[in-house]
Amino acid sequence: SSDIFILPSIQREACPPSILEAMSYAKPTIAFNIDGIPELIKNEEQGFLIDAYNYKDFQKALLSLLENKSLREQMGKSALSKQKKIFNIDQFTSKHIQCFECLVSNNNK
């Protein structure tokens, strides 16, 4: 029921599943620009990426989204679109099959 997803943690995590889940619900994200987060969220497209420990800019980003419904919706739609591209089941399956075929091929040499 929320309109915005925030991840204020500075805990190192390669690909936070919580961001992917928020994206699947078309929610913009505000998070620190660390580890794998920039691979999921492009600043000012799917949400805001803030320099680590910069809580003042984190607050500004949150207020910006709270005060601007059209920006929230635009970023949310972009997040959903990107999430669908990242986790396209056909592409996902194809890459896993390629990986397994490569392992089998290398083991047979």
Side-chain angles (χ1 to χ4, degrees):
S1 66
S2 65
D3 294 325
I4 303 164
F5 177 72
I6 61 170
L7 185 66
S9 172
I10 54 162
Q11 204 59 16
R12 302 275 181 209
E13 192 173 345
C15 178
S18 55
I19 290 178
L20 294 169
E21 186 173 346
M23 293 171 82
S24 74
Y25 286 98
K27 305 299 178 188
T29 295
I30 302 172
F32 288 116
N33 190 2
I34 57 173
D35 292 335
I37 295 173
E39 294 174 13
L40 301 174
I41 303 296
K42 184 171 181 183
N43 190 42
E44 297 185 6
E45 284 191 21
Q46 293 84 29
F48 291 104
L49 293 176
I50 309 300
D51 291 334
Y53 301 103
N54 188 338
Y55 297 104
K56 195 168 282 278
D57 282 352
F58 205 96
Q59 179 184 20
K60 287 178 188 175
L62 179 56
L63 288 173
S64 173
L65 287 177
L66 286 172
E67 294 172 350
N68 191 334
K69 182 179 180 179
S70 64
L71 180 61
R72 282 194 313 266
E73 290 175 348
Q74 175 188 347
M75 287 183 169
K77 287 177 185 176
S78 178
L80 178 60
S81 176
K82 185 168 184 179
Q83 190 271 350
K84 286 180 178 182
K85 288 178 187 172
I86 293 171
F87 286 98
N88 174 299
I89 191 66
D90 295 328
Q91 184 181 29
F92 188 75
T93 304
S94 174
K95 286 183 180 183
H96 273 75
I97 289 170
Q98 287 175 1
C99 184
F100 289 126
E101 288 173 344
C102 183
L103 287 173
V104 170
S105 174
N106 286 336
N107 285 334
N108 290 333
K109 290 182 180 180

